[in-house]
Short mmCIF file of all heavy atoms in Angstrom, two decimals:
data_model
loop_
_atom_site.label_atom_id
_atom_site.label_comp_id
_atom_site.label_asym_id
_atom_site.label_seq_id
_atom_site.Cartn_x
_atom_site.Cartn_y
_atom_site.Cartn_z
N ARG X 1659 21.84 38.77 12.88
CA ARG X 1659 22.22 37.65 13.73
C ARG X 1659 21.20 36.52 13.66
O ARG X 1659 21.56 35.35 13.82
CB ARG X 1659 22.42 38.12 15.18
CG ARG X 1659 23.64 39.01 15.34
CD ARG X 1659 24.06 39.17 16.78
NE ARG X 1659 25.25 40.01 16.89
CZ ARG X 1659 26.49 39.56 16.75
NH1 ARG X 1659 26.69 38.28 16.48
NH2 ARG X 1659 27.52 40.39 16.87
N GLU X 1660 19.93 36.83 13.44
CA GLU X 1660 18.93 35.77 13.34
C GLU X 1660 19.19 34.89 12.12
O GLU X 1660 19.10 33.66 12.19
CB GLU X 1660 17.52 36.37 13.28
CG GLU X 1660 17.05 36.97 14.60
CD GLU X 1660 15.60 37.38 14.54
OE1 GLU X 1660 14.92 37.05 13.54
OE2 GLU X 1660 15.14 38.01 15.51
N ARG X 1661 19.52 35.50 10.99
CA ARG X 1661 19.80 34.75 9.77
C ARG X 1661 21.27 34.33 9.69
O ARG X 1661 21.66 33.60 8.80
CB ARG X 1661 19.46 35.60 8.54
CG ARG X 1661 18.01 35.98 8.41
CD ARG X 1661 17.82 37.03 7.34
NE ARG X 1661 18.24 36.57 6.02
CZ ARG X 1661 18.45 37.37 4.97
NH1 ARG X 1661 18.30 38.69 5.12
NH2 ARG X 1661 18.82 36.88 3.82
N LYS X 1662 22.07 34.82 10.63
CA LYS X 1662 23.51 34.62 10.61
C LYS X 1662 24.09 35.05 9.26
O LYS X 1662 24.92 34.36 8.66
CB LYS X 1662 23.87 33.16 10.91
CG LYS X 1662 23.53 32.76 12.34
CD LYS X 1662 24.17 31.46 12.74
CE LYS X 1662 23.97 31.18 14.22
NZ LYS X 1662 24.65 29.95 14.66
N ALA X 1663 23.64 36.22 8.82
CA ALA X 1663 24.04 36.76 7.51
C ALA X 1663 24.88 38.01 7.68
O ALA X 1663 24.73 38.76 8.66
CB ALA X 1663 22.79 37.09 6.69
N LEU X 1664 25.77 38.24 6.73
CA LEU X 1664 26.59 39.44 6.68
C LEU X 1664 26.25 40.23 5.43
O LEU X 1664 26.10 39.66 4.34
CB LEU X 1664 28.08 39.06 6.66
CG LEU X 1664 28.61 38.30 7.89
CD1 LEU X 1664 30.05 37.85 7.65
CD2 LEU X 1664 28.54 39.18 9.13
N PHE X 1665 26.13 41.55 5.59
CA PHE X 1665 25.83 42.43 4.46
C PHE X 1665 27.11 43.16 4.07
O PHE X 1665 27.74 43.82 4.91
CB PHE X 1665 24.75 43.44 4.84
CG PHE X 1665 23.48 42.80 5.31
CD1 PHE X 1665 23.17 42.77 6.66
CD2 PHE X 1665 22.61 42.21 4.42
CE1 PHE X 1665 22.01 42.17 7.12
CE2 PHE X 1665 21.44 41.60 4.87
CZ PHE X 1665 21.13 41.58 6.22
N PHE X 1666 27.47 43.06 2.79
CA PHE X 1666 28.72 43.64 2.31
C PHE X 1666 28.45 44.88 1.45
O PHE X 1666 27.33 45.12 1.00
CB PHE X 1666 29.51 42.60 1.50
CG PHE X 1666 30.22 41.60 2.37
CD1 PHE X 1666 29.54 40.56 2.95
CD2 PHE X 1666 31.58 41.73 2.62
CE1 PHE X 1666 30.19 39.64 3.78
CE2 PHE X 1666 32.24 40.82 3.44
CZ PHE X 1666 31.54 39.78 4.01
N GLY X 1667 29.50 45.65 1.22
CA GLY X 1667 29.40 46.87 0.44
C GLY X 1667 29.23 46.63 -1.04
O GLY X 1667 28.98 47.57 -1.79
N GLY X 1668 29.37 45.39 -1.50
CA GLY X 1668 29.19 45.05 -2.90
C GLY X 1668 28.74 43.61 -3.00
O GLY X 1668 28.65 42.88 -2.00
N ASP X 1669 28.44 43.17 -4.21
CA ASP X 1669 27.93 41.82 -4.42
C ASP X 1669 28.96 40.77 -4.00
O ASP X 1669 30.18 40.95 -4.17
CB ASP X 1669 27.58 41.61 -5.89
CG ASP X 1669 26.31 42.36 -6.28
OD1 ASP X 1669 25.59 42.80 -5.37
OD2 ASP X 1669 26.06 42.50 -7.50
N VAL X 1670 28.45 39.66 -3.49
CA VAL X 1670 29.26 38.49 -3.11
C VAL X 1670 28.64 37.27 -3.80
O VAL X 1670 27.94 36.48 -3.17
CB VAL X 1670 29.35 38.32 -1.58
CG1 VAL X 1670 30.31 39.33 -0.98
CG2 VAL X 1670 27.97 38.49 -0.93
N PRO X 1671 28.89 37.08 -5.10
CA PRO X 1671 28.15 36.09 -5.89
C PRO X 1671 28.39 34.66 -5.45
O PRO X 1671 29.49 34.28 -5.02
CB PRO X 1671 28.68 36.31 -7.32
CG PRO X 1671 29.26 37.69 -7.31
CD PRO X 1671 29.80 37.88 -5.93
N LEU X 1672 27.36 33.86 -5.58
CA LEU X 1672 27.43 32.43 -5.31
C LEU X 1672 28.52 31.80 -6.18
O LEU X 1672 28.64 32.11 -7.37
CB LEU X 1672 26.08 31.78 -5.62
CG LEU X 1672 25.93 30.28 -5.32
CD1 LEU X 1672 25.97 30.03 -3.83
CD2 LEU X 1672 24.62 29.77 -5.93
N GLY X 1673 29.32 30.91 -5.58
CA GLY X 1673 30.38 30.23 -6.32
C GLY X 1673 31.68 30.98 -6.38
O GLY X 1673 32.67 30.47 -6.93
#
Side-chain angles (χ1 to χ4, degrees):
R1659 291 195 179 276
E1660 288 188 9
R1661 297 169 61 195
K1662 293 194 172 183
L1664 297 173
F1665 303 103
F1666 283 78
D1669 287 346
V1670 284
L1672 183 68

